[in-house]
Amino acid sequence: MNLTPIATAPATPSMDTPPTMSNDYESFLSLLVAQVSHQDPLKPIDGTEFVSQLATLTGVEQSVKLNDQMQSLRTQLALSAALSESSLIGRTVTVPSEEIELGPDGADFSYELQGTATSVTAIIRDAAGVPVREIAGLPATDRGLVNVAWDGADANGVPLPPGRYQVALATADATGGYNTYASFEVISLSFENGEQRLDLSGGGSAMSTQIVRIE
């Protein structure tokens, strides 16, 4: 199933502790201790320089601690988000999709125009991409979602077998694009490339930020 998000959220920057920061801190500390241990009694370390080195060491230490805290916070937020989205399991959500699921009672889908048009026709294709039905005369409004009910029959009124079908729009004199939406049941949660996704009935997935309706 191909899902087309309305907008793609920017990637969240990684807050993992840089692998070299802790090593730099340990190395700096070791060098400072060695410097103090092996200093020439007749030429002790300059006080100002020593204070400056201590300040640098403290700064590195604080950076290490801050990154550790940020990583811990990130983990807690991810867990909180997972627990929150787990409440969607078993619920039906409407998300951007170019595919619809035909069941015994037909199929419902929605669309949203991003501009004006003089006419809108929904074109439904089978898995091979062959058009099986056109639904003409649909509302050409650009004010929100438009719901469409398909009875599951082809152009000759013959019922088609249940399964996945593709849906697209043909718009006349359109001043913008469009998005199509379909409803699916959330069956589980998963992680992909560090992002939490909702696993949908039929094998597709979506992000919670793509949901436009929950039933």
Side-chain angles (χ1 to χ4, degrees):
M1 178 180 65
N2 295 320
L3 297 177
T4 306
I6 299 175
T8 302
T12 302
S14 173
M15 295 182 183
D16 292 345
T17 303
T20 60
M21 184 169 291
S22 295
N23 293 337
D24 290 344
Y25 171 74
E26 295 295 337
S27 298
F28 191 90
L29 179 60
S30 298
L31 288 173
L32 186 60
V33 171
Q35 182 181 8
V36 173
S37 301
H38 297 87
Q39 66 177 321
D40 187 344
L42 300 178
K43 297 180 180 180
I45 301 174
D46 179 73
T48 302
E49 180 184 354
F50 187 68
V51 170
S52 176
Q53 292 176 340
L54 286 178
T56 301
L57 179 63
T58 301
V60 174
E61 181 184 18
Q62 291 301 319
S63 297
V64 172
K65 290 182 178 179
L66 177 60
N67 278 276
D68 289 342
Q69 293 170 356
M70 294 297 290
Q71 175 61 25
S72 177
L73 177 60
R74 182 187 180 194
T75 302
Q76 293 175 14
L77 290 175
L79 178 59
S80 177
L83 292 175
S84 176
E85 293 188 1
S86 65
S87 63
L88 294 173
I89 296 177
R91 303 286 295 275
T92 298
V93 297
T94 300
V95 295
S97 177
E98 298 174 353
E99 294 186 346
I100 56 178
E101 183 75 26
L102 176 61
D105 300 323
D108 297 323
F109 62 93
S110 305
Y111 67 86
E112 181 179 39
L113 300 181
Q114 297 175 347
T116 59
T118 57
S119 67
V120 177
T121 299
I123 303 174
I124 300 174
R125 295 180 171 86
D126 61 18
V130 177
V132 295
R133 177 72 180 272
E134 291 188 2
I135 306 176
L138 296 174
T141 178
D142 59 351
R143 298 182 179 180
L145 293 179
V146 177
N147 298 321
V148 182
W150 174 37
D151 59 8
D154 63 13
N156 298 316
V158 178
L160 294 168
R164 290 276 175 168
Y165 290 83
Q166 304 168 15
V167 61
L169 298 185
T171 57
D173 303 319
T175 60
Y178 67 85
N179 288 297
T180 53
Y181 302 83
S183 298
F184 305 93
E185 181 183 354
V186 179
I187 56 176
S188 62
L189 302 180
S190 64
F191 288 87
E192 181 179 327
N193 297 326
E195 296 179 334
Q196 184 168 289
R197 303 188 68 85
L198 307 175
D199 299 321
L200 307 176
S201 56
S205 66
M207 298 181 64
S208 59
T209 52
Q210 295 177 273
I211 297 174
V212 297
R213 184 167 55 209
I214 302 175
E215 302 174 18

